[in-house]
Amino acid sequence: MLCTITVCFGVLLVLLVIGILALRTKARTGKYFSFKEKYVPLENFDLSNRVVVITGCNTGIGKETVVGIAKMKCSNIIMCCRSKEKANNAINDIKKRLTKEQIKNVNFIFVALELGNMKSIENAANTIKEFDCVKESGIYALINNAGLANENDFESDDGYQIVFAVNHLGPFCFTKHLITELVKYSKQNDHTARIVNLGSAGADLAKLDPEDFQSKECQGTMGKSFTAYANSKLCNALFTFYLDSLLKENNYNISCYVVHPGWVKTDIARNGSAFVRVLINNLGTICAKSSWLGTQTSLYCAVEAGDDESGLYFQHASVHKLKNKDAYDVSLQKKLWEKSLEYAGFDSFF
């Protein structure tokens, strides 16, 4: 009897280990029990004399995105973060991973940005427009990386639900303020400018109410807060798809993509409760991919994705399709677009 129990326990333990490994591999590659990982061949790209703007890049995926862009010889990387001290610390860490030649060729530029504050967004964009490198050549790529998961019922400085403000409305406004510089780049060069929006497969679990895009009713508990997060990620997709249609309609040579980085071990839940932080961090240690692997899809869309793939959803550095049909509802895309303009106080985007 004891022997049978021991064998059963052993089998269950083996199955548990196999399950954890399968989940980890699924998070890293998109397939169970597949160990093939796709990395962008950085050495094949030369971003000399170009400007790339990245938000939320003092840690996690954003920081790794800076590393990748720097290794592709980008001349000017504008790092938009809330804290200058943390940005400088990140720059020091990043330089340790670059060659002397790469450090010599890249100019790291810090710009203060708080995506939950409309005035901060406008000030950051105006500051960027005054840089000589931007005046001369415009912006090659805008990577809207910053994101937030929060279970607490906070409002932004402008009175909007905080997750909606930081994950959707802030990037929407920042893109609007910088669109002229992306257009400038596209007109001066024989290739497209690019916009990369960090989304999530969590959009598939969204339950978005067209009368409550802010998801104000989805706060206060972990379950409801995840719905608010998922809704904001659906907004990222709706925004990207509708923006792409307008760019094509106006014959702007700008490609835009929405990407799911995968399950990545980051500090996105830093503002959650102690329980949520411990849960996410421990599960992340077991199952999640590294931030470097997590940034590969962003890097892919920033340099390698085709112009004919603009307006599509990517994960694992390839085109995928969201399961949530709402993402492809043009009327919902338009309604969110118009509501976002209203929230931000804009008459038009272009």
Side-chain angles (χ1 to χ4, degrees):
M1 182 67 178
L2 180 61
C3 182
T4 302
I5 293 174
T6 302
V7 170
C8 290
F9 178 77
V11 170
L12 288 173
L13 184 61
V14 170
L15 290 174
L16 177 62
V17 171
I18 292 174
I20 290 174
L21 289 174
L23 286 172
R24 177 175 173 79
T25 306
K26 172 72 172 178
R28 292 165 65 87
T29 67
K31 297 179 180 179
Y32 294 109
F33 307 113
S34 168
F35 294 92
K36 183 179 180 181
E37 298 176 358
K38 182 171 183 178
Y39 292 90
V40 175
L42 305 178
E43 66 280 1
N44 293 350
F45 299 94
D46 187 342
L47 302 183
S48 299
N49 302 315
R50 301 192 201 182
V51 178
V52 175
V53 179
I54 308 171
T55 67
C57 50
N58 63 281
T59 187
I61 298 171
K63 181 178 175 182
E64 295 301 308
T65 303
V66 175
V67 172
I69 295 295
K71 287 186 175 182
M72 289 186 278
K73 307 173 187 176
C74 183
S75 298
N76 299 281
I77 303 177
I78 300 177
M79 300 174 62
C80 301
C81 314
R82 291 186 298 170
S83 167
K84 185 174 183 178
E85 179 182 358
K86 290 182 179 180
N88 286 335
N89 289 338
I91 291 171
N92 291 333
D93 288 341
I94 290 165
K95 286 182 177 179
K96 295 176 183 176
R97 297 169 60 185
L98 304 176
T99 65
K100 290 183 179 179
E101 190 65 23
Q102 288 169 338
I103 294 173
K104 178 182 176 182
N105 292 334
V106 65
N107 181 26
F108 297 103
I109 307 171
F110 165 76
V111 172
L113 173 66
E114 172 55 73
L115 284 170
N117 183 299
M118 295 288 189
K119 192 62 180 176
S120 174
I121 294 170
E122 183 178 5
N123 289 342
N126 289 338
T127 298
I128 290 170
K129 291 176 183 178
E130 290 302 312
F131 292 138
D132 289 340
C133 58
V134 176
K135 285 183 176 181
E136 291 171 7
S137 62
I139 295 172
Y140 162 67
L142 167 61
I143 303 176
N144 287 311
N145 169 82
L148 175 69
N150 195 319
E151 67 183 286
N152 298 308
D153 191 13
F154 293 143
E155 289 188 345
S156 71
D157 294 339
D158 303 294
Y160 300 110
Q161 197 278 327
I162 190 65
V163 175
F164 173 83
V166 172
N167 290 359
H168 165 67
L169 191 58
F172 176 91
C173 295
F174 196 48
T175 304
K176 183 264 185 294
H177 283 301
L178 293 178
I179 197 71
T180 53
E181 305 311 311
L182 290 152
V183 171
K184 180 194 295 184
Y185 177 88
S186 68
K187 288 183 176 179
Q188 293 180 2
N189 297 274
D190 59 357
H191 48 264
T192 61
R194 295 175 180 243
I195 299 169
V196 181
N197 293 322
L198 265 286
S200 171
D204 285 333
L205 302 175
K207 299 176 181 178
L208 192 60
D209 181 355
E211 303 304 319
D212 179 28
F213 282 121
Q214 295 187 58
S215 302
K216 285 188 173 182
E217 299 303 316
C218 297
Q219 291 293 290
T221 67
M222 186 168 64
K224 287 184 177 180
S225 296
F226 178 79
T227 300
Y229 174 78
N231 288 352
S232 72
K233 295 291 102 179
L234 177 57
C235 287
N236 293 151
L238 293 166
F239 164 47
T240 303
F241 298 157
Y242 198 71
L243 173 60
D244 176 68
S245 68
L246 294 182
L247 291 170
K248 290 173 179 173
E249 183 180 305
N250 287 278
N251 294 315
Y252 289 130
N253 195 21
I254 302 173
S255 295
C256 59
Y257 314 91
V258 58
V259 307
H260 170 52
W263 184 3
V264 182
K265 183 172 169 52
T266 69
D267 65 347
I268 192 171
R270 60 189 176 275
N271 294 313
S273 67
F275 172 76
V276 170
R277 293 198 304 272
V278 170
L279 179 65
I280 296 297
N281 289 338
N282 281 282
L283 283 176
T285 300
I286 298 171
C287 297
K289 64 171 92 171
S290 68
S291 293
W292 176 243
L293 185 54
T295 194
Q296 296 306 305
T297 305
S298 296
L299 293 175
Y300 177 84
C301 288
V303 296
E304 198 170 357
D307 296 342
D308 59 337
E309 296 174 317
S310 178
L312 299 180
Y313 166 75
F314 284 75
Q315 65 182 62
H316 304 296
S318 59
V319 175
H320 283 251
K321 192 175 181 68
L322 284 164
K323 297 175 182 176
N324 191 333
K325 294 181 180 179
D326 287 347
Y328 304 99
D329 184 336
V330 177
S331 63
L332 186 61
Q333 294 170 10
K334 184 178 181 181
K335 187 166 185 177
L336 173 65
W337 184 275
E338 292 174 345
K339 198 65 179 177
S340 298
L341 288 175
E342 179 185 325
Y343 287 146
F346 299 139
D347 293 326
S348 63
F349 194 85
F350 300 105

